[in-house]
Amino acid sequence: MEKEVAVIGVGQSSFVRGYEGSIRELAFEAFREAMKDAGVTQKDIGASVFCSAPEYDKQRSPAGVLAEYLGLIPQPTFYIETVCSSSSTGVKVGYSMIKAGLHDVVCIVGFQKMSEITSAESQERMGRGADIQWEAPFGTMMPAYYALYAQAYMAKNGLTHDDLMSVRLKSATYGVVNERAVYRKGVKAADFDASNPEAKMAGPVAWPLRVGDCCANADGSSCIILANKEKAKAFSKKPIWVVGIGAASEAVNMAARPDFAKGLSVGYGAAAQAYKMAGITASDVKVAEVHDCFTIAEIMAYEGLGFAPMGEGKQLIREKATYKEGRIPVNVDGGLLSKGHPIGATGGSQIRTIVLQLRGEAGPMQVAGDPGIGLVHNVGGVGLYGNVTIFGR
Amino acid sequence: MGFEKFGRKSFTAITKTAKFVDLLVEGKVEGTVCKDCGAKFFPPRADCAKCLSKNMDWFEVPKKGTLETFTTAYYAPFGFETDPPYTMGVVDFGDGLKLFARLAKEIKLEDVKVGMAVTTRPLKYDDGQISFEIVKA
Ligand SMILES: [Zn+2]
């Protein structure tokens, strides 16, 4: 396992609805925490990378604006975008620059202020992260796209609505204890009771997905500071090494997708690369963050990552194997479903969670057994992009 | 006719495949086929991703397919607010050829099943927009 590039600092704003500030102020929250965590100053940072999905706020070319606000000029800065996986793509680029010897320390900031537009506008923006020429004219939106996968998957593999609900009940368990999560209320099975008009999770959004199957929009920021071996050892008592990186892409149009019942191809492709680079297999992973933008996405992720055989992801949630006490804890910070999904900030937030887990600093979410290897699975669009990043001590 | 006529609401005005809309008006749902390597595409493309040819022809999509998957939207994005509920699905024609569209309003939701036999036909909305939809075979 190669130990050349390490995470030396992590930060995250609280994920909230309606952040009372602008995008530069939002980015500052995560950046400040990561800088204090790393114990570095701006002059130590060789370059910065900013990551978000465009068109949620009005700022064009945000990198220069945010770099100035964070005191990171005149160092090089630029913008990276792969919608929901933007900040894990940013970490891949930061890793590459350090490995290439261009910079010793790179900071990657993910941000998103979704509350500047309405929920319907947000759905339209997200829908346009898919095929605007041939699909958006039908009125597509993210829940509908994932529902296409859910429908085919459930028909073939015997996955039930109760299984999907179980994913949400798990995420809510940890949303309650994560003080940075947007959705901190508990969720119980009765909330999914379709016979009760008061049940807040039961209403259909894009059938077979219900309100409770969908992640929470949020405003938020994340920051990851990467360093080369020499600087990592100089600055950090607990460097967490980036030991595996994989990434893949898939056809944007649903008409060009392979079998829907088999889940997202990018999950399989990115995982295979990352495992190969790290020289490990799925069973070596002790804690994971997966891209649960919808409940069905977590089940499909189990399989893409090799935590369960294809079609058998339901067994993990039925056996509670992905709870904190289980065989392979997944999303024990609340995941996108409860912690929230401020698009450009999500990958960095997932990485922060895994870094804290490997350091033993995850507080009430800490998994037992002193985990040595953790994994982050971050998907952009409807499996348009997929990143898997593996971390080790 | 420009591509702004395509679908419930188009986000693209100009494309080299705008003839697709004219073909819908003629009653045909067509994809493109590469004259050089034979690769077939739906939705249509002006350029071949397999051999990089720009030499494309039109072909009518098969009449018989199966519904691979579907979803019913109870909320809609900005600009589609008056439409829900509406059902969208993917038709598999075999040989790697698939199609994404809405299902015809006339199909009862309880009758829609994964694997059902379906076909496709052009559709004109009251406001003059041109589209195509999935119907029972
Ligand atoms: Zn060709």
Side-chain angles (χ1 to χ4, degrees), chain A residues 39-352:
Chain A
V40 298
T41 60
Q42 284 97 329
K43 67 175 173 17
D44 299 313
I45 309 272
S48 59
V49 181
F50 291 87
C51 316
S52 74
E55 294 194 42
Y56 285 90
D57 57 74
K58 297 283 196 293
Q59 182 68 55
R60 293 188 70 216
S61 201
V65 177
L66 298 184
E68 189 270 343
Y69 195 78
L70 303 183
L72 289 170
I73 53 172
Q75 296 99 309
T77 185
F78 58 91
Y79 184 65
I80 288 281
E81 188 273 312
T82 56
V83 259
C84 323
S85 59
S86 294
S87 46
S88 59
T89 301
V91 165
K92 179 180 181 177
V93 172
Y95 174 96
S96 307
M97 292 196 293
I98 290 170
K99 277 280 279 191
L102 291 172
H103 304 290
D104 296 337
V105 180
V106 175
C107 116
I108 298 98
V109 177
F111 71 94
Q112 207 78 60
K113 187 157 183 245
M114 302 179 75
S115 64
E116 296 206 352
I117 55 178
T118 66
S119 177
E121 284 173 323
S122 170
Q123 289 298 352
E124 192 256 1
R125 300 287 194 286
M126 286 302 285
R128 285 196 285 122
D131 186 341
I132 65 153
Q133 187 173 340
W134 296 105
E135 285 179 347
F138 293 107
T140 52
M141 53 182 181
M142 284 295 138
Y145 281 119
Y146 272 90
L148 292 174
Y149 277 92
Q151 186 86 254
Y153 184 99
M154 292 167 85
K156 181 177 178 194
N157 299 311
L159 183 81
T160 66
H161 270 106
D162 278 354
D163 295 326
L164 295 179
M165 175 184 75
S166 297
V167 172
R168 183 60 200 253
L169 297 182
K170 175 173 72 71
S171 73
T173 301
Y174 303 110
V176 169
V177 297
N178 184 350
E179 59 185 22
R180 303 284 176 91
V182 67
Y183 199 92
R184 301 210 59 204
K185 287 175 281 189
V187 178
K188 50 195 187 305
D191 296 328
F192 281 86
D193 180 3
S195 67
N196 174 9
E198 302 289 304
K200 59 183 187 283
M201 296 288 173
V205 173
W207 194 254
L209 300 180
R210 305 152 295 182
V211 172
D213 293 306
C214 306
C215 68
N217 285 356
D219 297 343
S221 62
S222 62
C223 181
I224 303 297
I225 300 174
L226 298 177
N228 64 15
K229 188 189 288 181
E230 184 189 325
K231 295 287 183 186
K233 286 181 174 164
F235 286 127
S236 181
K237 284 194 192 70
K238 289 182 180 176
I240 300 298
W241 303 94
V242 182
V243 298
I245 294 181
S249 60
E250 173 58 286
V252 66
N253 197 289
M254 295 300 112
R257 294 294 175 100
D259 193 342
F260 283 80
K262 290 182 176 173
L264 302 175
S265 67
V266 293
Y268 287 88
Q273 292 169 30
Y275 286 139
K276 186 178 178 205
M277 177 173 160
I280 64 164
T281 63
S283 60
D284 296 315
V285 177
K286 300 305 175 200
V287 57
E289 284 281 296
V290 310
H291 197 86
D292 60 330
C293 47
F294 300 94
T295 50
I296 181 65
E298 177 161 328
I299 300 288
M300 296 191 296
Y302 293 163
E303 300 171 15
L305 294 169
F307 298 160
M310 190 183 277
E312 293 301 321
K314 59 184 182 288
Q315 293 305 337
L316 290 185
I317 195 69
R318 287 178 188 176
E319 292 162 9
K320 295 200 165 192
T322 47
Y323 272 74
K324 199 174 77 171
E325 301 75 18
R327 172 165 69 76
I328 172 64
V330 172
N331 293 356
V332 295
D333 63 354
L336 282 60
L337 287 166
S338 288
K339 186 179 62 179
H341 182 26
I343 308 172
T346 290
S349 166
Q350 293 176 302
I351 292 170
R352 171 181 175 270

Side-chain angles (χ1 to χ4, degrees), chain B:
Chain B
M1 195 180 290
F3 202 72
E4 70 279 355
K5 299 290 283 181
F6 174 61
R8 201 71 183 89
K9 174 184 169 186
S10 180
F11 297 87
T12 308
I14 298 172
T15 162
K16 293 175 183 176
T17 55
K19 189 185 174 188
F20 179 74
V21 179
D22 302 327
L23 291 165
L24 288 176
V25 172
E26 290 172 26
K28 292 180 285 196
V29 180
E30 301 210 355
T32 55
V33 55
C34 176
K35 286 183 186 174
D36 292 327
C37 77
K40 286 183 170 180
F41 299 102
F42 194 91
R45 301 171 50 108
D47 308 291
C48 180
K50 290 224 163 56
C51 76
L52 306 187
S53 170
K54 300 179 79 162
N55 202 10
M56 307 291 278
D57 206 354
W58 292 89
F59 77 98
E60 204 159 353
V61 299
K63 293 290 177 206
K64 283 186 177 169
T66 56
L67 189 68
E68 180 174 354
T69 188
F70 65 96
T71 178
T72 303
Y74 289 86
Y75 293 90
F78 180 72
F80 297 84
E81 294 87 343
T82 58
D83 288 4
Y86 54 94
T87 300
M88 300 174 283
V90 175
V91 180
D92 188 356
F93 296 110
D95 293 329
L97 198 66
K98 296 185 184 185
L99 169 151
F100 174 85
R102 281 195 196 176
L103 274 69
K105 281 272 181 200
E106 75 214 30
I107 307 176
K108 287 202 194 82
L109 204 46
E110 58 268 30
D111 293 341
V112 184
K113 297 279 183 286
V114 167
M116 71 190 277
V118 289
T119 186
T120 181
R121 71 178 178 208
L123 164 74
K124 186 171 185 180
Y125 286 104
D126 290 340
D127 62 2
Q129 287 293 103
I130 308 290
S131 191
F132 59 97
E133 61 184 356
I134 298 165
V135 291
K136 277 188 181 177

